[in-house]
Amino acid sequence: MTAARREGRLGWLFIGPAFLHLLVFALIPIGYSFVLSLYRTRMIQPERAFAGIDNYTFALGEESFRNALWNSTRYALWSVPLGIVVALAVAILVNQKLRGVTLFRTLYYLPNISSGVAIAMIWIYIYLPETGMINTGLHWLGITNKTDFLSQVEWAMPAVVFMSIFTGLGPRMVLFLAGLVGIPPELYEAAALDGATGWRAFWKITLPMLVPTTFFVLVTSTISALQIFTPIYMMTKGGPEESTDVVGYHIYTEAWVNFNTGLAAAKSFVLLAAIVVISLIQFRLMKNQLQGYSAA
Amino acid sequence: MRLWMGLSAMMLLGCACAPRSSTPSQEVLRVANWGGVSDDSDFAKVQQGLYEEFERRNPGVKVIIEGVPGGEYVSKMMLAHIAGATPDILTLDASSSALFMNTGMLRDLNTYAEHDPEFKLSDFYPNILDIARRGKNLYAIPNDFTPMVVYYNKRMFDAAKAPYPRAGWTFDDFRAAAKKLTIPGKQYGFAFTNWFPGWIMFLWNNGGDCVNPDFTQASGYLDSAKNAQTLAFLRDMVDVDKSAPSLSQTAAAGVDLFANGQAAMTVSGHWSMVGYSVAPKGPDGKPRIVLADLGVAPMPSNIGKSVTVMYESGYAITNRAKHPDLAWKFIKFMTSHYARQKLNKTGIAVDARIDVSTERAKDPLEAMFLPIIPTARPPYGTHIEGFEMVETQAQNAMDAVLKNGRDPQAALTKAARRVDQELAKRQIPGVAPK
């Protein structure tokens, strides 16, 4: 056995467990889901019929699925930019050389090591119409009419978006913080010599230098925004009037409540396609901006 | 509810670990129910006591209760069935029973019932037994059931000098009573919640329905002019008369307004009595409502004959049960006169056993239920698989009307269209419709 072959074999041994895990819990199920998506099949009926792309064309024409796609788009369009702006602001704040700043970094990151269900529970309480924190706060400010945020059509989606800004804060903040730390201080020193400080330095140095980080955060945040499930499942169940019925929750209902397995599988692949296309567009748009940087 | 889910999850975890700790000679009987988290209610205590008694009477047997949160029960059980991991016994809720009965998940219990000299099917109300029948097959032995009724607070009616509701009352009578019993800022006439199983009877009693007789279409039924009228009627009680709270007000209150002495009437099942018997206490230290305050009336009706729905639960044995004979023994014990009279005393429902419910009817409050029982029909979920989908759409329509000021007709038309789309999805080409 040559050294190269032995090394190759050793390599396989190393990645073996991880690959096996990937195979059993991701690749095989994905492949099987694709097969399912080509059939009219229901989990609770033994019969199935080959349907080709019928499930896909049906899904794309279906009122409720289109509504779910639109809801996910709305959610992503609001939560991603807001999430990025807030995370950047917080990262800049905790990048100050202050005593106890690590405590704040930890506090901001804390929600991310908690369970999504527990966090959603806390937010349910925060949004409670009578005793919730927000309504109580508004009451102090003189706004006395109580709003049932999670069950009013005009408020439910903004409420979920607002929550996501905080729950998704941790990882974004850490990434921006890493980006900020990575900016060579000489740049600021040189700029200061030329008289550029404060906002000017932020616009001309900080932001451009954070482009790769921002791009990475943008892509990962968009993907996770399109996959949002837990808060919806816990807080609104897609309601009121399907105004928060996002794709992830819609697919769950299709598969596990209505048992329309084939159709649910097809809808999952539509979601996958949407995520891939959006990510490709983001890559294309950012390509020019990224010239001169190594991959983020 | 959320806390309940958490507790259930913890309990499930407990269940998952429990069999490992049992000795090899032990037979483990797995019983699934919804909720099932033991609380401090008498019902939970009595139930737990009976499980333990069954274990004592059958040495070497361990009863494991697998509680699943109500909203997840159907999916979880179906998944367990597909994965070949169903418990031995399934508590069957009539409202979702069609799915379980039609998918070959359950055993025919006739074979057990007919060959067991200690068991008599004639002990049970025949129409209640029929709920779990398909052709000759019998899929569950009923525990108990309840018609949906109007509860009213006699003390409040007396204070308002209003006559008590009685059989034969109409929607207008109901609305007038609710109006008369409303004290702005203090008391509502009628506590309404948007839960379709709790208001489908209003549709029926105004001459409407939600699906066609062969359960294949909602358009032309759910969106009928009669139903739009019913929704408008309920909306007007909230918006015009202010005799019923808005949905936000109900949510904001966070309590059962009727049990809390803040509403004079409500619509619910017998199970509510468990809560009414331990109603919250007022500032004077007295319960806000006591059973002696309660009156029970049939649903108001515009069609000359009041109709209501009957919710029921029973025990079924799964086809993949590991210990079917032991499961039968358990069902026989839990539906025996001995066990049922203990459970029924807690006020949970009307008993499916004729002897037990006859004994209980000596209580005047219990007796009020008896004339309503014959007017009750089984829920649609006994025939329509996944009827929850219709419930969701109907609730969405009611939300749209009550919370967002939509036109009842438009909201119902949308709901009916959605239901039809869902029903169409279930058809597999080349396979006869179910």
Side-chain angles (χ1 to χ4, degrees):
Chain A
M1 197 187 286
T2 64
R5 277 191 65 182
R6 201 177 307 131
E7 208 165 90
R9 202 169 277 187
L10 197 66
W12 275 107
L13 273 176
F14 274 120
I15 63 163
F19 182 72
L20 195 70
H21 181 270
L22 192 70
L23 194 71
V24 173
F25 291 103
L27 298 177
I28 292 175
I30 290 173
Y32 184 63
S33 297
F34 183 69
V35 174
L36 280 180
S37 77
L38 303 176
Y39 282 87
R40 276 297 280 268
T41 173
R42 302 191 69 217
M43 203 180 295
I44 53 172
Q45 269 172 275
E47 306 93 348
R48 62 163 66 177
F50 186 73
I53 60 160
D54 283 4
N55 281 330
Y56 290 89
T57 47
F58 179 87
L60 291 172
E62 194 192 17
E63 190 186 350
S64 60
F65 186 57
R66 282 174 174 224
N67 171 60
L69 285 171
W70 169 235
N71 284 336
S72 286
T73 311
R74 273 194 315 148
Y75 174 77
L77 284 177
W78 282 105
S79 74
V80 173
L82 285 172
I84 288 178
V85 170
V86 173
L88 178 58
V90 172
I92 290 170
L93 281 177
V94 297
N95 193 32
Q96 311 298 315
K97 291 184 175 54
L98 294 172
R99 273 167 66 101
V101 78
T102 41
L103 174 72
F104 286 99
R105 289 181 189 177
T106 314
L107 283 178
Y108 285 122
Y109 196 79
L110 215 54
N112 285 84
I113 55 164
S114 320
S115 114
V117 172
I119 290 178
M121 280 295 307
I122 290 173
W123 280 87
I124 289 172
Y125 286 111
I126 291 176
Y127 284 134
L128 276 185
E130 199 64 28
T131 47
M133 206 168 90
I134 294 186
N135 271 308
T136 311
L138 290 173
H139 190 87
W140 286 339
L141 295 174
I143 302 166
T144 49
N145 65 327
K146 307 285 185 188
T147 310
D148 190 356
F149 291 102
L150 294 177
S151 59
Q152 271 171 281
V153 171
E154 65 274 27
W155 280 113
M157 183 59 93
V160 178
V161 168
F162 186 68
M163 179 193 95
S164 77
I165 295 171
F166 297 98
T167 52
L169 180 63
R172 289 182 201 137
M173 178 201 70
V174 166
L175 288 165
F176 277 123
L177 199 56
L180 286 171
V181 171
I183 300 175
E186 304 91 85
L187 291 179
Y188 291 104
E189 286 162 19
L193 285 177
D194 290 341
T197 52
W199 271 111
R200 222 175 139 76
F202 175 76
W203 284 111
K204 296 287 179 192
I205 301 168
T206 315
L207 268 191
M209 290 303 285
L210 282 178
V211 165
T213 314
T214 313
F215 174 61
F216 181 75
V217 173
L218 176 72
V219 173
T220 51
S221 299
T222 309
I223 292 174
S224 64
L226 292 173
Q227 292 176 330
I228 180 187
F229 174 77
T230 312
I232 301 293
Y233 174 80
M234 290 297 294
M235 298 164 75
T236 66
K237 298 256 183 244
E241 288 187 64
E242 298 176 348
S243 63
T244 60
D245 184 35
V246 293
V247 179
Y249 185 73
H250 179 93
I251 293 171
Y252 164 82
T253 319
E254 193 72 90
W256 305 111
V257 179
N258 299 331
F259 302 116
N260 298 320
T261 331
L263 188 57
K267 287 176 176 177
S268 305
F269 280 93
V270 173
L271 175 63
L272 175 70
I275 290 175
V276 168
V277 168
I278 290 168
S279 300
L280 283 178
I281 292 171
Q282 287 175 335
F283 269 101
R284 181 60 56 88
L285 288 175
M286 295 295 272
K287 204 176 167 188
N288 297 334
Q289 304 274 337
L290 283 173
Q291 299 272 325
Y293 295 103
S294 58
Chain B
M1 170 72 191
R2 316 285 172 178
L3 175 73
W4 191 49
M5 281 176 74
L7 287 171
S8 303
M10 274 163 60
M11 224 189 75
L12 274 177
L13 210 66
C15 296
C17 305
R20 247 173 280 151
S21 63
S22 55
T23 55
S25 65
Q26 238 180 7
E27 265 188 301
V28 172
L29 187 69
R30 294 170 56 208
V31 182
N33 65 17
W34 53 93
V37 177
S38 49
D39 48 32
D40 276 343
S41 73
D42 284 349
F43 178 75
K45 283 181 203 154
V46 172
Q47 205 174 33
Q48 189 54 41
L50 286 167
Y51 299 150
E52 283 160 16
E53 186 168 345
F54 180 75
E55 287 174 345
R56 277 197 304 278
R57 289 185 184 197
N58 298 276
V61 170
K62 174 94 191 127
V63 177
I64 298 288
I65 303 298
E66 301 185 2
V68 177
E72 309 300 316
Y73 190 71
V74 176
S75 323
K76 285 228 164 114
M77 286 304 121
M78 197 39 72
L79 205 60
H81 172 58
I82 292 162
T86 36
D88 299 283
I89 292 174
L90 205 77
T91 313
L92 201 62
D93 176 0
S95 305
S96 57
S97 59
L99 193 61
F100 298 122
M101 291 195 277
N102 295 351
T103 45
M105 192 171 164
L106 308 175
R107 276 173 203 244
D108 175 17
L109 299 184
N110 272 321
T111 34
Y112 295 94
E114 283 164 9
H115 297 106
D116 192 330
E118 296 166 16
F119 185 87
K120 285 209 301 277
L121 281 175
S122 57
D123 283 337
F124 300 85
Y125 287 109
N127 57 331
I128 306 296
L129 273 171
D130 283 348
I131 290 177
R133 263 191 225 279
R134 282 292 184 278
K136 281 186 178 168
N137 291 359
L138 175 69
Y139 289 113
I141 303 299
N143 288 319
D144 47 22
F145 63 99
T146 173
M148 293 297 277
V149 298
V150 175
Y151 283 104
Y152 58 92
N153 186 326
K154 289 190 207 163
R155 209 157 28 104
M156 290 177 182
F157 271 76
D158 293 342
K161 297 194 172 54
Y164 294 155
R166 50 189 181 83
W169 65 331
T170 62
F171 276 31
D172 286 341
D173 298 335
F174 172 68
R175 187 170 171 179
K179 231 166 143 174
K180 193 163 186 194
L181 282 144
T182 301
I183 306 171
K186 187 169 173 245
Q187 177 182 312
Y188 292 106
F190 172 50
F192 177 75
T193 40
N194 184 12
W195 180 56
F196 190 59
W199 60 262
I200 183 173
M201 311 80 69
F202 280 103
L203 303 184
W204 293 339
N205 282 304
N206 195 33
D209 209 333
C210 55
V211 281
N212 64 343
D214 56 356
F215 312 125
T216 52
Q217 193 183 325
S219 290
Y221 294 85
L222 184 59
D223 56 354
S224 68
K226 287 274 184 203
N227 285 354
Q229 199 185 35
T230 310
L231 257 64
F233 170 84
L234 291 165
R235 176 200 60 196
D236 290 348
M237 288 182 73
V238 176
D239 287 352
V240 181
D241 301 353
K242 316 251 184 238
S243 59
S246 72
L247 297 181
S248 314
Q249 283 165 328
T250 305
V255 289
D256 177 342
L257 290 168
F258 185 78
N260 212 34
Q262 289 172 275
M265 293 186 282
T266 193
V267 170
S268 189
H270 198 293
W271 64 77
S272 283
M273 300 245 271
V274 175
Y276 299 153
S277 62
V278 287
K281 291 192 172 73
D284 55 358
K286 288 183 190 158
R288 295 193 194 258
I289 187 169
V290 292
L291 292 185
D293 294 338
L294 284 185
V296 172
M299 294 294 299
S301 179
N302 285 345
I303 53 169
K305 188 173 157 259
S306 176
V307 202
T308 192
V309 62
M310 169 165 57
Y311 297 123
E312 178 258 1
S313 92
Y315 281 130
I317 304 181
T318 60
N319 251 329
R320 292 181 174 147
K322 287 212 175 80
H323 310 288
D325 293 335
L326 184 63
W328 173 251
K329 221 170 164 181
F330 178 82
I331 292 178
K332 207 167 68 178
F333 172 70
M334 290 303 287
T335 60
S336 66
H337 179 268
Y338 170 80
R340 288 307 318 171
Q341 51 92 19
K342 279 188 161 192
L343 280 164
N344 204 253
K345 263 187 203 151
T346 64
I348 186 79
V350 184
D351 213 88
R353 286 188 69 98
I354 300 167
D355 46 9
V356 175
S357 58
T358 315
E359 287 158 28
R360 290 281 294 153
K362 285 173 194 151
D363 177 337
L365 195 54
E366 294 293 328
M368 289 189 197
F369 280 85
L370 296 185
I372 303 173
I373 293 168
T375 70
R377 45 195 261 190
Y380 274 129
T382 57
H383 284 95
I384 308 180
E385 292 175 17
F387 185 70
E388 294 88 342
M389 168 267 290
V390 182
E391 294 172 355
T392 306
Q393 293 302 338
Q395 280 163 203
N396 281 346
M398 185 63 98
D399 265 352
V401 171
L402 286 183
K403 279 188 192 151
N404 297 297
R406 304 253 200 282
D407 170 51
Q409 185 63 62
L412 285 170
T413 304
K414 183 182 173 189
R417 194 174 64 232
R418 282 288 169 85
V419 171
D420 285 349
Q421 285 167 353
E422 291 302 323
L423 288 172
K425 280 195 231 170
R426 298 176 176 188
Q427 295 313 319
I428 293 175
V431 178
K434 281 190 128 181

